[in-house]
Amino acid sequence: MTPSQARNAIRRSLKTLVDPSPAKQEKDAIWHYFDNACAYCGYTMTRHGRQAHLDHLVAEMAGGSNRMCNLVLTCARCNGDQKRELDWQEYLATCCGEDKALYNLRLQKIYHWVEQNEGAPLLAPELAALCEQEFDLINQQFSEAVARLREIARQAKADSPGHTEE
Ligand SMILES: [Zn+2]
């Protein structure tokens, strides 16, 4: 894991303290609503296989929550490298190709899911701001530690026998 991946993992881990992952019956509801199929490409999955993921419509790094209205059932391929930084609507369009009817069907299905699960915001804005402060603080301390360790590594290399200055 690179420092940058670790930074994201730490943030995710801290965020679940205030924004827990969905409970089992919430996951059941997601599976049921999406008919065991990927919301983007339609690939059918089994509950105990390892291909299924819950994709955040608004990415966690962009402030997206773990609430049901922000999660859809997807296959590993769509959740991983394929979607990357694309908006989910853009990504869905790439999955449906020229089939506009299919695109609209899947789009409406996702919108309906979002509407049906939308509720009050997870955290009041002032509490959300406090969380961001905590994330920023740990992020800064982490970055400082990375910089110090890189400097130690650089010195160790310079001090090692056989090293010649460039
Ligand atoms: Zn998929």
Side-chain angles (χ1 to χ4, degrees):
M1 194 187 277
T2 66
S4 145
Q5 288 166 335
R7 211 176 277 128
N8 291 345
I10 290 168
R11 189 191 156 93
R12 270 201 302 279
S13 158
L14 290 174
K15 197 158 172 278
T16 55
L17 297 174
V18 288
D19 180 19
S21 299
K24 189 185 171 296
Q25 60 278 42
E26 291 179 316
K27 285 184 187 160
D28 290 346
I30 294 177
W31 275 87
H32 180 73
Y33 180 83
F34 289 100
D35 302 318
N36 303 340
C38 176
Y40 301 133
C41 73
Y43 179 73
T44 301
M45 296 170 288
T46 55
R47 188 69 200 257
H48 298 290
R50 295 185 163 270
Q51 342 80 309
H53 288 249
L54 297 179
D55 190 61
H56 291 79
L57 294 173
V58 177
E60 289 183 282
M61 291 312 290
S65 78
N66 283 325
R67 290 172 67 222
M68 298 273 276
C69 62
N70 193 41
L71 296 173
V72 295
L73 186 67
T74 62
C75 69
R77 187 169 154 270
C78 287
N79 180 248
D81 289 351
Q82 294 280 329
K83 184 164 166 260
R84 288 178 185 270
E85 304 301 313
L86 289 180
D87 283 344
W88 69 265
Q89 292 95 333
E90 273 179 88
Y91 179 69
L92 178 62
T94 68
C95 288
C96 300
E98 297 297 304
D99 195 341
K100 293 279 174 271
L102 185 65
Y103 172 74
N104 278 321
L105 194 74
R106 288 182 182 159
L107 186 75
Q108 291 312 319
K109 189 161 175 103
I110 294 175
Y111 277 141
H112 184 242
W113 170 254
V114 172
E115 273 165 31
Q116 157 179 332
N117 287 287
E118 234 157 14
L122 181 70
L123 290 170
E126 62 273 20
L127 291 182
L130 282 179
C131 293
E132 287 304 320
Q133 273 179 26
E134 291 293 341
F135 300 152
D136 289 348
L137 182 67
I138 204 77
N139 195 356
Q140 192 190 333
Q141 289 173 345
F142 184 84
S143 297
E144 286 165 7
V146 168
R148 287 192 296 271
L149 287 166
R150 284 199 168 128
E151 178 57 22
I152 290 170
R154 197 189 61 77
Q155 281 181 13
K157 203 171 159 200
D159 293 345
S160 69
H163 175 86
T164 49
E165 288 293 331
E166 286 117 39

